[in-house]
Amino acid sequence: MLRPILVALALALTACGHAETAQPQEPPRHTPAAAPLVATPEVCPMPDSGFDCEFQKRIQNAKNYAETRPGIIGIVLRDRKTGAMWRNDHAGELTWTASTIKLAMIVNLLERNRSGKIKLTADDRRLMTAMLHSSDDDAADTLWKRYTGTTFNAAFPKYGMADLVAQRGYSANFPYWGFEKCTTNDLDRLINYVLDTVPAEDRAYIVEQMRQVGPEQQWGVWGPDSGAKNGWSEEDGGWVMNSVGFVGKDERYTLAIMNNLKGEGGYNEGRETDTEITRILFR
């Protein structure tokens, strides 16, 4: 009797299907919430300069470029609107002024004329314009002798040229405008004296002349939105190529560059250096 019962039980299980064994439930896994996205702060190369981050990058690029160029290059950049200023490590080194000092001569002549100490003639003014427009050396010589070189030199520190040193042994006349050394800091202070302190009528004359210089000076800081007074000469240690001026609406920025090539390059290399530094910063 047992066997038929077992067979019947087996058939019954087959008819009902296989019984399923219950599987233990895994507890739900906790998926951590995604971390909030945090913007990486922009890295500004000169955070203490006072310039905005984009301008800081331009300054860094100009600095890097200058370090690859022949000789020693002093640079001072100023924002007259915000007061921000940057200077490189060579801005305090004495360099031949070349013709940049003619700008200080013009300031002094206009100041003496305004105070009544001298009376500028039509010929004087023609020579002054030639000094600014084409950097005419003969014009500078004439005015230097006519209005006393020592008087010029005594006044130059007032215009910010505190480091200026006249150089002995190069000329029968001492001091002589063609043999002086100053720093890039001096040129920075000089151009800002012109723009901030020179009386409006005289300032307007100087600014207009610097904006309209002849082809001899159309390099360096000069450009469609700029004005410059450049200086270039071959000295004992090689060529010097200097440029000082302003850039932008209302002459917002000033830029002074002094390139003492030290025999590592010449006129063309120096001209290219000053022009490219200006382009990197502003163009």
Side-chain angles (χ1 to χ4, degrees):
M1 291 295 294
L2 181 60
R3 182 170 181 177
I5 294 172
L6 290 175
V7 171
L9 180 60
L11 291 173
L13 289 174
T14 301
C16 296
H18 297 289
E20 294 185 0
T21 304
Q23 298 294 326
Q25 295 289 323
E26 291 188 8
R29 296 183 180 181
H30 174 68
T31 303
L37 294 176
V38 178
T40 303
E42 187 173 15
V43 178
C44 302
M46 300 175 178
D48 298 327
S49 67
F51 292 93
D52 65 40
C53 197
E54 181 60 33
F55 215 134
Q56 290 176 40
K57 293 174 183 177
R58 287 174 172 263
I59 293 170
Q60 185 65 58
N61 289 339
K63 178 178 182 289
N64 292 344
Y65 168 78
E67 290 171 355
T68 70
R69 300 297 293 167
I72 291 175
I73 302 154
I75 309 171
V76 182
L77 170 69
R78 191 186 295 263
D79 183 339
R80 297 175 58 240
K81 183 176 180 180
T82 67
M85 185 177 69
W86 171 79
R87 56 168 60 91
N88 75 346
D89 293 339
H90 298 296
E93 298 188 22
L94 283 173
T95 303
W96 292 103
T97 65
S99 290
T100 57
I101 202 168
K102 292 171 184 171
L103 179 59
M105 288 178 62
I106 297 294
V107 172
N108 181 249
L109 287 167
L110 291 170
E111 179 182 76
R112 282 196 265 172
N113 180 73
R114 186 169 289 276
S115 69
K117 294 178 180 178
I118 63 173
K119 184 173 178 57
L120 293 172
T121 66
D123 183 59
D124 293 334
R125 292 186 179 276
R126 178 187 63 81
L127 294 172
M128 291 163 60
T129 297
M131 285 169 59
L132 290 174
H133 182 74
S134 58
S135 202
D136 190 299
D137 288 350
D138 291 338
D141 284 345
T142 300
L143 291 169
W144 189 264
K145 294 173 184 175
R146 185 176 292 173
Y147 293 108
T148 315
T150 53
T151 304
F152 282 111
N153 260 73
F156 290 159
K158 175 183 176 181
Y159 313 142
M161 304 189 80
D163 303 324
L164 183 78
V165 182
Q167 303 297 300
R168 290 187 177 275
Y170 290 90
S171 171
N173 298 318
F174 179 85
Y176 173 58
W177 72 265
F179 297 113
E180 313 239 15
K181 288 184 178 182
C182 77
T183 65
T184 318
N185 289 325
D186 285 329
L187 293 186
D188 163 68
R189 291 188 290 259
L190 172 62
I191 188 61
N192 281 279
Y193 183 89
V194 169
L195 297 175
D196 295 336
T197 306
V198 168
E201 184 179 353
D202 295 339
R203 174 187 181 278
Y205 163 74
I206 294 172
V207 167
E208 180 182 12
Q209 294 301 318
M210 292 178 71
R211 286 188 180 277
Q212 300 177 9
V213 295
E216 305 90 345
Q217 298 189 88
Q218 293 179 5
W219 50 273
V221 183
W222 182 85
D225 60 345
S226 312
K229 179 69 199 83
N230 293 344
W232 60 99
S233 62
E234 188 172 14
E235 304 290 353
D236 284 349
W239 279 87
V240 293
M241 300 293 293
N242 307 327
S243 186
V244 59
F246 50 80
V247 180
K249 187 178 184 297
D250 299 323
E251 299 81 46
R252 174 172 175 173
Y253 300 97
T254 59
L255 178 62
I257 307 169
M258 299 189 84
N259 186 188
N260 181 359
L261 285 119
K262 291 186 169 291
E264 299 173 10
Y267 173 90
N268 290 331
E269 288 82 2
R271 176 172 170 150
E272 180 182 342
T273 294
D274 292 2
T275 303
E276 182 63 8
I277 287 171
T278 307
R279 188 200 67 78
I280 292 170
L281 290 172
F282 295 109
R283 311 301 183 207

